[in-house]
Amino acid sequence: MAQHGDAAVHSASYPSLEGRKVIVSGGGSGIGEGFVEAFALQGAAVAFVDIQAKPSEALAARLSDAPVPPFFLPCDVTDCDDYGAKISHMIDKLGGCDVLINNAASDDRHPIGEVTPEYWDDRMAVNLKHQFFAAKAVTPAMRAAGGGSIVNMGSISWHLGLEDLVVYQTAKAAIEGLTRSMARELGRDNIRVNAIIPGNVKTPRQERWYSPEGEAEIVAAQCLDGRIEPADIAAMALFLASDDARFCTAHNYWVDAGWR
């Protein structure tokens, strides 16, 4: 049940995460899969949602021998009513919520001329709206537990101003404002809110967009050689969720190999 990539070889152990109750959105594949696996291997109780049932069920089966086997619920996070109900169910089954990882997103390419109002609303729903309402839904459980950690997934893309991503990048830019605002409002309840800003992470989805030549260009633009993997992003999330990060809130944490 080993994690993928070099990051797992040197992964840290966080005793404070053992038994923590963790909810992950978009946890069935890619970076989300890395989150589910990493927290499960720390001994946390993990529940995750994803719109893709087959890979999610396979992940849950693969991690069935974890200290606390994670469980999966199918969900489209753009349906706030259904997602809210699923969060309530996960909180009931876990017995609370200590950590929320707002990961679900979709970075489909879209030229400005093809963006319709309907597409705009749909992209905002999948990339931004659910993060707010998931945080709102878990806040009572975190207050009852005496605190918690919310990790929002941002993106390096808008900092770079990449092409054909204007709606996605608008949503991801807003996540950084959401993070700071929530951290201020929830801080007196000992609820910490941070954002992870990943660079280009090697996942099957990203391989759809980049040729080997394109990947080589990304690595050349980084300060460090090599490709970032889901385990590298999960390593940051583990720290931010742990008690070791007890005074870390309202900030962005970059895992981008210095990509500029």
Side-chain angles (χ1 to χ4, degrees):
M1 207 170 55
Q3 285 180 294
H4 304 296
D6 293 339
V9 176
H10 305 289
S11 61
S13 177
Y14 294 95
S16 62
L17 293 179
E18 185 175 355
R20 288 276 167 89
K21 304 164 183 69
V22 182
I23 292 175
V24 181
S25 67
S29 62
I31 296 174
E33 179 181 1
F35 289 141
V36 171
E37 184 171 20
F39 278 100
L41 293 178
Q42 293 282 335
V46 184
F48 68 102
V49 299
D50 201 293
I51 198 169
Q52 299 182 79
K54 190 171 181 179
S56 299
E57 290 166 352
L59 174 61
R62 180 167 65 82
L63 296 174
S64 61
D65 60 342
V68 182
F71 73 92
F72 157 68
L73 291 176
C75 181
D76 179 350
V77 297
T78 66
D79 183 341
C80 284
D81 290 338
D82 182 53
Y83 189 27
K86 294 289 173 57
I87 288 176
S88 294
H89 179 72
M90 289 186 285
I91 289 173
D92 287 344
K93 187 163 182 177
L94 292 172
C97 178
D98 303 302
V99 180
L100 170 67
I101 308 293
N102 274 324
N103 171 67
S106 175
D107 62 348
D108 287 346
R109 272 47 176 176
H110 46 271
I112 288 175
E114 296 179 8
V115 173
T116 64
E118 293 76 20
Y119 183 84
W120 175 279
D121 290 344
D122 178 71
R123 295 298 87 184
M124 287 297 169
V126 74
N127 290 310
L128 174 63
K129 183 179 180 181
H130 71 87
Q131 294 206 14
F132 172 83
F133 285 100
K136 178 184 175 183
V138 302
T139 294
M142 289 186 175
R143 284 188 177 124
S149 174
I150 297 171
V151 178
N152 298 325
M153 288 300 294
S155 172
I156 196 175
S157 63
W158 77 270
H159 293 275
L160 298 173
L162 301 181
E163 294 180 346
D164 295 335
L165 284 168
V166 64
V167 183
Y168 174 79
Q169 291 177 155
T170 299
K172 287 299 187 177
I175 286 167
E176 295 186 24
L178 175 70
T179 297
R180 289 189 65 82
S181 299
M182 282 194 159
R184 171 61 64 186
E185 187 160 341
L186 300 177
R188 300 306 174 193
D189 294 309
N190 197 33
I191 297 172
R192 299 180 293 105
V193 188
N194 291 291
I196 294 177
I197 313 299
N200 190 274
V201 182
K202 187 174 183 179
T203 66
R205 178 173 179 81
Q206 287 302 312
E207 289 174 348
R208 292 170 48 194
W209 305 119
Y210 294 99
S211 65
E213 293 76 16
E215 289 190 344
E217 290 177 3
I218 291 169
V219 173
Q222 296 174 172
C223 296
L224 301 173
D225 288 332
R227 297 287 277 120
I228 303 166
E229 299 190 13
D232 298 299
I233 311 303
M236 180 62 76
L238 292 177
F239 167 70
L240 292 174
S242 75
D243 288 352
D244 297 68
R246 68 193 185 101
F247 282 118
C248 296
T249 195
H251 288 293
N252 303 324
Y253 292 83
W254 295 68
V255 187
D256 68 342
W259 185 19
R260 291 291 184 271

